[in-house]
Each structure stands twice: as structure tokens, then as C-alpha cells.
Amino acid sequence: MFELIRTHRRWMQFILLLLIVPSFVLVGMQSYSSFIDSEVELAVISDQGIKQSEFDMAHRNQLEQFRQRLGSQFDPAVLDTPAMRQQLLDQLIDQRLLAMVAQDNRFSVSDTTLRDTIAAIPQVQEDGRFSPERYRQVLAAQGLSPTSFENGLRRDLAVARVLEPIGLSASVPQVVVEDIQAALTQKRSIQLRRFDAADYRAKITITPQDLQTWYDANKDSLRVPEQVQVDYLVLDEAAATQGVQVKDEDIASYYEQNKHRFGTPEQRRASHILIELPPGASQEQRTAARERAESLAAEAAANPAAFADLARKSSQDAGSAAQGGDLGWIAGGSVPPSVAKAIAELPKDGVSGVVESPFGLHILKVTDIKPAVTKPLAEVKDQITSEIRKQLASARFAEMATKLQGAVYDHRDSLQPAADALGLKLRHASGVTRSGLLPASQTEGPAASGSADSALLDNPRVRQALFANEVLREKQNTGVIELTPDTMLALRVADVQPAHVPPLDKVKSVIEARLLDERAAQAAHEAGEAALKTLQADGGTEGFGPVQTIWREQPSDLPRSVLDAVMRMDPAKLPGYTGVAAGADFILVRLDGVEAGQSQPDDARNLARQLAGAWGEAEDQAVLNLLRDLYKVKVMPPAAAVVQGDQPAEG
């Protein structure tokens, strides 16, 4: 948050966040005293405490924001972690701390600044200008009044000013910027020699004792989490469409009612002569313009073949006059209604009288007509059949959804009655855990991870439902879970397999593959290290590939570890040699040359801004740490339990 208040632009982003997603962490000073003194305190700032109820409220709102943002993919197990809860507690502490500093030092915001800040929020503007009506509508949608929002915003702007000067003054010495820019653009010529682990696999032998020893020492890494086998039903568009028949008479009727959709409407090409009539023209100007237009209309009607020449000579539409007044093929809405109506009523090569529009006075000629063309029924029959089937399926889907809800609850211990009632296939899958789907090698029966329904079964809402107590332990049906408007699931746990370590014979192949990988990688690394020692002593290029030039911004396809090793090599010692692990492989590097790179002035300016931003963040944090010391911030023992989830906050 503190990065956002470093400049006025970032102020706007900060304020917009407060408007669109009401703040759940900034608490007014008056509200601090509203908590019961005996309530558990998670932190104390001077003599003020942050109560657990404050944390709980912020925690609930944070999870609700994630839930709204992620929809069906919301998974508390992924988002509600100790790290996230610690971050939230730190935010509450820092925001309370800044509010106290602002109050103690009498930070304030003028009415003019407040008005300008609100007026600059894009969501309360219309056509780029502040709209009072839009402002009230946006606040009402969030359940806020202008008075309460403005009071809160004034307080938040005052709090923002505590750190604002720090960010505005943050800068990095130019010599540092230049050194970093030089490092980013410096080019290095290198050659590579790779020791592939795969080349050593054939020389490695894995004995039964090796397998047993590894198994005994690494059992915990082989532990398979608690998993369930599930029966489930899927109601989707395919299920609702199955068996739907479309009659020929329905297709014919649909075709007749929608003929306009199955073809090309009539198209007309037109030209015009325009006599301009400016807005607010006097009666004298209007009379003169109409007399001129009437004269041109009479001349055009007398000799339609010369219409283009007349347009070139007399039309005041500079855009079309050079083309003989040609307006092209007239599309809907491309010309004023009065002009479109006149064009529609003219025959080919017909010339109109004077037609008035907001642009002036027109004389029109239709130069070409493409008649409407309707595709025959046989050509669009498949399209119509698909559309009718979808309409029927939509109605059937709603009916089936209602039946599914009832059948699932009427027979809580089985999904088979629901499957029979709706004609759905009862499906089966195994290997569903609280946190995801297990690979087929760790499951028995049809693995959910290899199923066509894997995305449905891995949905966080589905997994949460399966591990609810009445579903997991009592083997009751879940409710009907609506994942999307056209996809519903109902599930039941058929069997539960507790967490366990598989016996050796079940994981023998897995251990053998792992040992083979580890030892092949070790052999490759040892061979590479030995070659590196020889090269550092005697030099040479044997086994190296062609010379290539790389730099930080153009690393070619080098792994990051190799690139970092190359850029750390001493340019004063050429040729130089180094070696680095790249996954299971080992790569030797020969450094042949170093040259300064080229950069543009804009690159240096952008880098300076980025470095200043990072420097400002570091200074912000340093000031916050200092303020924590000055205001004697203490994190109380109960906070550890809340952060770890041993005494979970509400949410």
C-alpha cells in the first residue's frame, strides 16, 4: 500500500482502491476505543491495542475479496496461509501506526485537495469530467454516503502524507545508475561445454539394498495424503442435449421466422452533392443555401449521367467531391436517418430532391443496388437444427436441474436414484485429496487426474464439499454444486483411504528412477568439476561449442544459473573458466571476451526511475521500523496462534 502513496498518481490508485473495494483495514481513530478492554490483543502500539475482532473483520473481508475475484477457483487452503495472515497483521499494525503519527503531528488535508482528489477518480467521471450524479451512484452502490466517504478519505490522505515526502525524495546516485546500466548492457563472448546426466545413466547400477536403504531413510517423502474415491453426476449442456430430437416442421417454421438472419440484406451505393448549412444559420443563409440546392437538384435530375461531374464541381463535401460525390455502400447508421430514408426510396440511377440533415442540404443519387439474398433452407439446416437443439436443451437443463436437486436430497446415501431419474451416467474417480488430485500411480481405480472431468473434480469448491464431515465420514451426498451456469455436479464419497506410506514393492519403480536421476546427475557434476580443474590449470577449447555473445537483457537460452555465473566471472582474466550446475546437467563456461554495450538515454532514465522506486520502498520500510520503535510496538503472544491458525480468526 505504501508504494501507492509515493506520488500523486499513486495517490489516485490508492484512493480508487478505497472507493471500489471499501477499506477493511484503515480504522478511524474514534473507533479504536469501541472495543472491549478485556478482548484479546494481538499487538499494542503505545497504549492502544489491535484487538482480535479487528483482525477477524479484516481477515473475513480479505477472504471475501478473494472469493469475489476468483469465483469458483477460490481455495482458502491456498490463500489463507500463515504468511498471508502475518502480512495482514503487519498491515494492520503499520496502518494504525501511521494513523497515530498523523494525528500526533496534526497532518491535515485542505478542502481543495480533497475536492481535486475526488474529481480525479475516473469512476466518478463522465466524458472526462467529474459528475456529481455518478459520484453519488458509485457511493450508494458501496453503501456509503458522501459525508462518510469524504471524512474517511480526508483521514486516509492525511495518513498518506506521513510517508509521502520519503518516497518523493528517494533517489539513487547517478554513478550507481550508470554502473548498473553498464552491467546490464555489457556483452560477453562465451563458449559452452555440457555434461549431460543422461549420458551417465547406462553406467549406473541400482541394487535391491540401495532401494531398501533409500526407502527406510525417506519414507515421509513417499507419504500419500488422505484421498477419497467418489461417485458423481455431471449435469451440463451435453447431458441436457442428449436425446433431443428436432422435427423437420420445427426447422421449417424457424427458418421462415428468421429468414432475415440467413442471408444478405439489400445493399445500396449512393453519391451526393452537399450544400453546407452551418448550425444557427440565419434565415437569409438558409434561403440562399436552399435556392442553391434546388438549382443543383434540378440540374442533376435533368442529366443524371453527369451527376459525378456536377458533384466534383459543386459539392461542398471535400471528402467525397473528388470521387464524384461517392459515399460507397451505405451501412446502417453511417448516414443521417433522413439521408438513409431517401436513398432507400430511390431506384437505381434515381436522383432525389433536396434532403436536409444536420450536415446541410443533400442531393442524392443511387448508383448501384445489390438485391437481398436469402440462403436456401438446405444450406442453413444444420445451423438451425443446432440453434433449436440448444433452445430445447436450455429448457430441459432447467427442468433437470430441479429434478437433480430433489433426487440428491431425497436419497442422501446414494446417487444412483438421481442418475436413474435423470438418465445420467453415474461416474467414478479416485485420488481426490483436500489439496488436489493425485497422479494415477498413487491411486487405485480410475484416477481423477486422468479423467476428462479432472478440471471439475479439482475445483476447490468440489474438494471442500467432499471433505465436509457429513460427506466424508457419513457418506452422504453433497448438495448440487453449480460450477458454471451450465455445469452442475453432485458427488458422494464411496471410499476413504487414509494417509499412508506405500509398501516398498508399490514404489520400487519410483525410487529406482529417483536414484538413477540423482546418481546420473552426481556423475555428470563430478566429471564436469574434474574437467574444470584441468581447464583452469592448462586452458584449452576441446569439447566447447561455438562462440556466442550474451548480455543480461539478451541471455539467449542460457539458464539463469549459468547466466549469473557468466556475469560474475572476472573480465581481467581471459580466457576464464567456470562451471555451474544446470538441473541434472553440468555446464562448463569459457569466457573469451568482454565489451561495453550500448544503451539509449530513455533506458537510463527508466532504470533510474525503477531504482528510485525500489530505494523509496526500502526507505519507507526503514521509517516504519523506526516508528515501530518510537511508538513501542509490541506483538503479543496470542498473535502467534492466530497467524499459525492454531486459534483461527473468524472467516
Side-chain angles (χ1 to χ4, degrees):
M1 183 197 77
F2 304 115
E3 179 185 358
L4 301 178
I5 60 179
R6 194 166 293 115
T7 66
H8 291 299
R9 176 179 294 179
R10 284 176 281 188
W11 267 20
M12 298 305 104
Q13 296 171 341
F14 174 66
I15 294 156
L16 178 58
L17 178 64
L18 295 175
L19 179 62
I20 302 306
V21 183
S23 176
F24 59 86
V25 289
L26 280 178
V27 182
M29 294 299 294
Q30 293 180 350
S31 68
Y32 295 160
S33 61
S34 65
F35 299 101
I36 302 173
D37 291 340
S38 60
E39 190 179 351
V40 173
E41 292 183 338
L42 303 185
V44 176
I45 306 169
S46 291
D47 58 347
Q48 294 188 17
I50 293 180
K51 314 293 185 180
Q52 182 166 347
S53 60
E54 294 179 71
F55 181 90
D56 290 344
M57 181 183 300
H59 184 248
R60 285 195 301 271
N61 287 333
Q62 183 185 59
L63 291 179
E64 181 58 30
Q65 288 186 23
F66 281 128
R67 183 179 288 110
Q68 293 178 2
R69 190 183 310 160
L70 299 176
S72 63
Q73 293 301 313
F74 171 72
D75 187 352
V78 174
L79 297 170
D80 190 16
T81 63
M84 292 288 286
R85 290 191 289 271
Q86 181 65 59
Q87 183 182 49
L88 179 58
L89 179 59
D90 287 339
Q91 288 176 349
L92 286 170
I93 293 171
D94 290 339
Q95 289 155 0
R96 175 73 64 82
L97 177 63
L98 291 172
M100 294 174 68
V101 173
Q103 185 183 58
D104 292 348
N105 291 274
R106 294 181 174 82
F107 283 85
S108 62
V109 175
S110 68
D111 291 342
T112 299
T113 298
L114 182 65
R115 285 195 301 269
D116 291 345
T117 299
I118 294 173
I121 300 173
Q123 274 62 26
V124 299
Q125 295 177 348
E126 289 185 356
D127 299 325
R129 302 183 64 181
F130 174 74
S131 167
E133 181 63 27
R134 178 64 178 157
Y135 176 54
R136 288 191 291 271
Q137 290 174 353
V138 171
L139 291 183
Q142 300 298 324
L144 300 171
S145 68
T147 300
S148 63
F149 173 73
E150 288 162 15
N151 288 341
L153 180 57
R154 188 189 296 274
R155 182 193 66 237
D156 296 337
L157 289 174
V159 171
R161 288 190 166 181
V162 175
L163 292 179
E164 181 193 10
I166 301 167
L168 293 176
S169 63
S171 63
V172 176
Q174 184 60 30
V175 64
V176 175
V177 176
E178 292 173 356
D179 287 347
I180 294 177
Q181 184 69 15
L184 289 173
T185 58
Q186 185 188 77
K187 296 182 178 181
R188 297 195 166 203
S189 300
I190 61 170
Q191 294 174 273
L192 303 178
R193 179 182 175 186
R194 179 182 291 271
F195 290 80
D196 289 321
D199 296 339
Y200 296 86
R201 295 174 69 89
K203 303 174 184 178
I204 295 170
T205 301
I206 307 296
T207 67
Q209 185 58 45
D210 292 334
L211 298 175
Q212 185 67 55
T213 301
W214 194 97
Y215 178 80
D216 293 338
N218 297 277
K219 283 185 177 181
D220 283 344
S221 68
L222 297 170
R223 184 173 297 278
V224 177
E226 181 183 41
Q227 59 178 293
V228 295
Q229 294 180 358
V230 299
D231 300 333
Y232 64 103
L233 299 174
V234 178
L235 176 57
D236 55 12
E237 183 180 341
T241 305
Q242 187 175 5
V244 172
Q245 300 296 322
V246 181
K247 299 178 181 178
D248 288 342
E249 53 266 34
D250 293 335
I251 295 174
S253 175
Y254 190 94
Y255 175 76
E256 290 298 326
Q257 294 173 20
N258 296 274
K259 268 188 175 180
H260 62 283
R261 293 180 47 221
F262 303 116
T264 305
E266 180 186 77
Q267 293 180 282
R268 289 174 171 246
R269 186 166 190 159
S271 298
H272 81 149
I273 298 169
L274 174 67
I275 300 302
E276 292 180 340
L277 190 60
S282 65
Q283 186 58 46
E284 182 180 351
Q285 289 174 313
R286 294 183 65 84
T287 299
R290 181 160 287 278
E291 288 177 354
R292 173 63 175 154
E294 294 284 1
S295 173
L296 289 170
E299 185 177 349
N303 186 11
F307 188 94
D309 292 334
L310 186 62
R312 291 188 187 94
K313 180 175 65 175
S314 305
S315 178
Q316 295 176 345
D317 178 9
S320 67
Q323 284 76 44
D326 183 31
L327 296 174
W329 294 99
I330 305 302
S334 63
V335 295
S338 57
V339 174
K341 182 175 183 296
I343 291 173
E345 294 173 350
L346 287 172
K348 183 179 179 181
D349 296 325
V351 177
S352 73
V354 177
V355 178
E356 186 170 349
S357 83
F359 299 103
L361 303 175
H362 306 258
I363 301 94
L364 301 157
K365 178 185 177 182
V366 172
T367 57
D368 199 359
I369 298 176
K370 291 181 180 178
V373 177
T374 302
K375 295 179 181 179
L377 175 58
E379 190 173 333
V380 295
K381 184 175 181 179
D382 290 345
Q383 177 186 346
I384 293 174
T385 302
S386 176
E387 292 180 7
I388 295 176
R389 183 177 285 112
K390 285 184 178 181
Q391 292 178 5
L392 295 174
S394 178
R396 189 180 181 207
F397 182 89
E399 179 183 349
M400 293 176 72
T402 302
K403 287 184 178 179
L404 180 62
Q405 292 274 7
V408 166
Y409 284 104
D410 288 344
H411 305 276
R412 295 303 304 274
D413 59 350
S414 175
L415 289 174
Q416 191 62 55
D420 295 339
L422 279 78
L424 297 175
K425 180 182 178 181
L426 186 60
R427 309 181 192 186
H428 313 279
S430 59
V432 181
T433 75
R434 296 176 187 270
S435 59
L437 306 182
L438 293 176
S441 61
Q442 296 182 345
T443 66
E444 295 183 4
S449 58
S451 165
D453 300 324
S454 59
L456 304 180
L457 296 171
D458 196 29
N459 185 282
R461 290 175 57 202
V462 171
R463 289 187 275 106
Q464 290 170 33
L466 285 171
F467 284 88
N469 185 63
E470 66 274 11
V471 177
L472 182 66
R473 306 304 174 196
E474 300 176 20
K475 303 296 192 297
Q476 294 185 6
N477 299 336
T478 67
V480 175
I481 303 172
E482 182 179 346
L483 297 182
T484 65
D486 61 356
T487 303
M488 296 180 173
L489 268 71
L491 307 98
R492 178 177 175 273
V493 172
D495 190 25
V496 180
Q497 188 173 9
H500 65 285
V501 176
L504 177 58
D505 62 330
K506 292 285 187 180
V507 292
K508 178 180 177 181
S509 60
V510 174
I511 298 174
E512 186 172 15
R514 187 174 298 184
L515 283 173
L516 191 59
D517 289 341
E518 291 175 356
R519 294 183 181 182
Q522 182 181 359
H525 292 186
E526 289 173 353
E529 293 284 3
L532 176 61
K533 290 181 180 179
T534 300
L535 289 168
Q536 289 173 336
D538 304 328
T541 60
E542 184 179 355
F544 283 92
V547 175
Q548 55 181 304
T549 301
I550 58 98
W551 61 100
R552 284 280 184 188
E553 295 178 344
Q554 291 292 335
S556 186
D557 58 351
L558 290 185
R560 179 59 183 266
S561 59
V562 178
L563 176 65
D564 289 343
V566 170
M567 303 310 294
R568 285 196 298 265
M569 295 178 71
D570 187 352
K573 299 178 180 179
L574 298 178
Y577 299 90
T578 192
V580 61
D585 303 331
F586 192 87
I587 297 178
L588 291 181
V589 179
R590 173 186 163 102
L591 177 63
D592 292 314
V594 178
E595 61 179 299
Q598 300 295 321
S599 62
Q600 301 298 320
D602 285 346
D603 295 336
R605 285 192 290 269
N606 290 335
L607 177 61
R609 283 194 292 268
Q610 293 173 9
L611 293 174
W615 192 278
E617 289 180 11
E619 290 188 343
D620 282 351
Q621 191 56 55
V623 171
L624 284 169
N625 292 339
L626 177 62
L627 291 174
R628 284 193 176 209
D629 290 339
L630 291 175
Y631 279 73
K632 298 180 173 60
V633 173
K634 295 180 181 178
V635 178
M636 308 305 287
V642 171
V643 167
Q644 292 301 320
D646 297 333
Q647 296 177 3
E650 297 176 13

